[in-house]
Amino acid sequence: MLVIKNFQFNPFSENTYVISDTQTGECAIIDAGCLYPEEQKILSDYIIDNKLKVKFLLATHLHLDHSFGDRYISRTFEVGLSAHPADEFLLENMEGQAMMFGIQLLDAPIPIKQHIDENDTFKIGNYSLQVIHVPGHSPGSVVYYCREENLAFVGDVLFRGSIGRTDLPGGNYNQLISGIQKKLLILPENTMLYSGHGPTTTIGFEKDHNPYLQ
């Protein structure tokens, strides 16, 4: 069985996900946003208490709120960061970004260990996550799609009734809308979407109700 555990971390209420296969104990962490020591402990305690083996540290994109905990997770569980190389530039000024929000980084960002791209696949036990590249919120934004379970982790590409902002460095509104329409809305309508902020939604709901996609 595939288990999805959602944590809300940091001042931006970012969704960090741990997905695990109960049969093998393998797991992946998607967007390690744990900023404070107590958040880091909550995340690592969950993994240790459930005897999970961290196979991947995956990023939907590299904005600071989704990356605060990367070094901690990498150091604690000896796993490298997998992300799209088009977002690599965001790591260079993460400390400056944090200062703009009055946030003191506890750890410097870590470099990408594994560059990922369209159609790459990550195997977690008996389940697979396929990479779908949907730039626009950031140049390297990706979605992780699990066909077997009919669900996707969409980061800040798509929210319930909204889309990711496109006024940040490297953002592009037309590119984002085109990518959503051509790559995500073709998925089955009952596909469950796990966003980087806020509640879950489905492809069908967004087709019918999202004002940006009408």
Side-chain angles (χ1 to χ4, degrees), residues 185-203:
L185 297 190
I186 62 171
L187 299 176
E189 293 203 351
N190 62 343
T191 301
M192 184 69 68
L193 305 180
Y194 293 83
S195 300
H197 304 269
T200 57
T201 185
T202 64
I203 290 293

Side-chain angles (χ1 to χ4, degrees), residues 45-207:
D45 280 355
Y46 173 81
I47 292 165
I48 294 167
D49 290 347
N50 288 278
K51 298 180 173 58
L52 300 178
K53 296 169 284 188
V54 180
K55 193 172 181 184
F56 302 111
L57 171 58
L58 305 176
T60 61
H61 64 299
L62 293 177
H63 285 149
L64 77 169
D65 53 326
H66 294 256
S67 308
F68 286 135
D70 285 347
R71 183 171 293 276
Y72 172 78
I73 293 300
S74 179
R75 179 175 64 239
T76 304
F77 297 104
E78 299 181 346
V79 61
L81 175 64
S82 300
H84 196 285
D87 267 9
E88 208 150 22
F89 76 100
L90 292 169
L91 299 174
E92 299 170 4
N93 190 36
M94 195 167 291
E95 187 172 358
Q97 295 177 54
M99 289 177 63
M100 289 174 56
F101 293 99
I103 294 172
Q104 180 72 41
L105 291 184
L106 300 180
D107 292 309
I110 59 173
I112 300 172
K113 182 176 182 180
Q114 180 180 2
H115 287 168
I116 66 176
D117 205 350
E118 186 86 7
N119 292 322
D120 285 351
T121 302
F122 293 90
K123 190 82 171 172
I124 299 110
N126 299 299
Y127 302 91
S128 297
L129 295 178
Q130 176 191 346
V131 175
I132 304 173
H133 183 209
V134 188
H137 174 64
S138 72
S141 286
V142 300
V143 168
Y144 297 100
Y145 175 50
C146 182
R147 190 178 304 274
E148 301 102 314
E149 293 295 296
N150 203 29
L151 56 86
F153 299 90
V154 297
D156 289 3
V157 168
L158 186 59
F159 302 118
R160 183 177 175 86
S162 189
I163 58 171
R165 58 187 295 184
T166 57
D167 58 339
L168 300 170
N172 185 304
Y173 178 83
N174 291 331
Q175 191 178 42
L176 178 59
I177 295 297
S178 176
I180 292 171
Q181 291 175 334
K182 293 177 180 178
K183 294 185 176 183
L184 298 187
L185 297 190
I186 62 171
L187 299 176
E189 293 203 351
N190 62 343
T191 301
M192 184 69 68
L193 305 180
Y194 293 83
S195 300
H197 304 269
T200 57
T201 185
T202 64
I203 290 293
F205 182 89
E206 299 313 311
K207 274 185 176 180

Side-chain angles (χ1 to χ4, degrees), residues 7-16 39 65-66 195-198:
F7 301 89
Q8 283 193 356
F9 288 142
N10 70 57
F12 300 93
S13 296
E14 177 267 353
N15 289 327
T16 291
E39 294 179 338
D65 53 326
H66 294 256
S195 300
H197 304 269

